[in-house]
mmCIF file of all heavy atoms in Angstrom:
data_model
loop_
_atom_site.group_PDB
_atom_site.id
_atom_site.type_symbol
_atom_site.label_atom_id
_atom_site.label_comp_id
_atom_site.label_asym_id
_atom_site.label_seq_id
_atom_site.Cartn_x
_atom_site.Cartn_y
_atom_site.Cartn_z
ATOM 1 N N ALA A 176 37.243 -23.384 55.066
ATOM 2 C CA ALA A 176 37.796 -24.659 54.612
ATOM 3 C C ALA A 176 39.016 -24.402 53.736
ATOM 4 O O ALA A 176 39.070 -23.401 53.015
ATOM 5 C CB ALA A 176 36.758 -25.468 53.831
ATOM 6 N N VAL A 206 17.263 -25.808 70.463
ATOM 7 C CA VAL A 206 16.684 -26.770 71.397
ATOM 8 C C VAL A 206 15.319 -26.258 71.860
ATOM 9 O O VAL A 206 15.232 -25.170 72.452
ATOM 10 C CB VAL A 206 17.603 -26.985 72.614
ATOM 11 C CG1 VAL A 206 16.984 -28.001 73.575
ATOM 12 C CG2 VAL A 206 18.983 -27.452 72.164
ATOM 13 N N VAL A 233 18.697 -17.313 73.933
ATOM 14 C CA VAL A 233 17.294 -17.673 74.125
ATOM 15 C C VAL A 233 16.486 -17.073 72.978
ATOM 16 O O VAL A 233 16.374 -15.848 72.868
ATOM 17 C CB VAL A 233 16.769 -17.178 75.487
ATOM 18 C CG1 VAL A 233 15.279 -17.514 75.637
ATOM 19 C CG2 VAL A 233 17.567 -17.794 76.629
ATOM 20 N N GLU A 235 13.155 -18.051 72.228
ATOM 21 C CA GLU A 235 11.797 -17.873 72.738
ATOM 22 C C GLU A 235 11.871 -17.980 74.249
ATOM 23 O O GLU A 235 12.505 -18.900 74.779
ATOM 24 C CB GLU A 235 10.854 -18.940 72.175
ATOM 25 C CG GLU A 235 10.699 -18.880 70.663
ATOM 26 C CD GLU A 235 9.824 -20.014 70.121
ATOM 27 O OE1 GLU A 235 9.258 -20.773 70.952
ATOM 28 O OE2 GLU A 235 9.727 -20.149 68.892
ATOM 29 N N LEU A 262 21.662 -18.363 84.295
ATOM 30 C CA LEU A 262 21.392 -17.753 82.987
ATOM 31 C C LEU A 262 19.951 -17.267 82.901
ATOM 32 O O LEU A 262 19.036 -17.838 83.501
ATOM 33 C CB LEU A 262 21.696 -18.755 81.877
ATOM 34 C CG LEU A 262 23.140 -19.274 81.864
ATOM 35 C CD1 LEU A 262 23.294 -20.402 80.857
ATOM 36 C CD2 LEU A 262 24.123 -18.144 81.559
ATOM 37 N N PRO A 277 40.596 -25.446 78.561
ATOM 38 C CA PRO A 277 39.879 -26.277 77.589
ATOM 39 C C PRO A 277 39.952 -27.749 77.978
ATOM 40 O O PRO A 277 40.934 -28.197 78.567
ATOM 41 C CB PRO A 277 40.629 -26.007 76.274
ATOM 42 C CG PRO A 277 41.228 -24.661 76.464
ATOM 43 C CD PRO A 277 41.611 -24.591 77.924
ATOM 44 N N LEU A 288 20.985 -28.582 79.147
ATOM 45 C CA LEU A 288 20.403 -27.371 79.714
ATOM 46 C C LEU A 288 19.636 -27.791 80.960
ATOM 47 O O LEU A 288 18.705 -28.614 80.862
ATOM 48 C CB LEU A 288 19.464 -26.677 78.725
ATOM 49 C CG LEU A 288 20.078 -26.092 77.440
ATOM 50 C CD1 LEU A 288 20.475 -27.189 76.441
ATOM 51 C CD2 LEU A 288 19.099 -25.139 76.767
#
Side-chain angles (χ1 to χ4, degrees):
V206 180
V233 178
E235 297 176 6
L262 301 172
L288 295 73

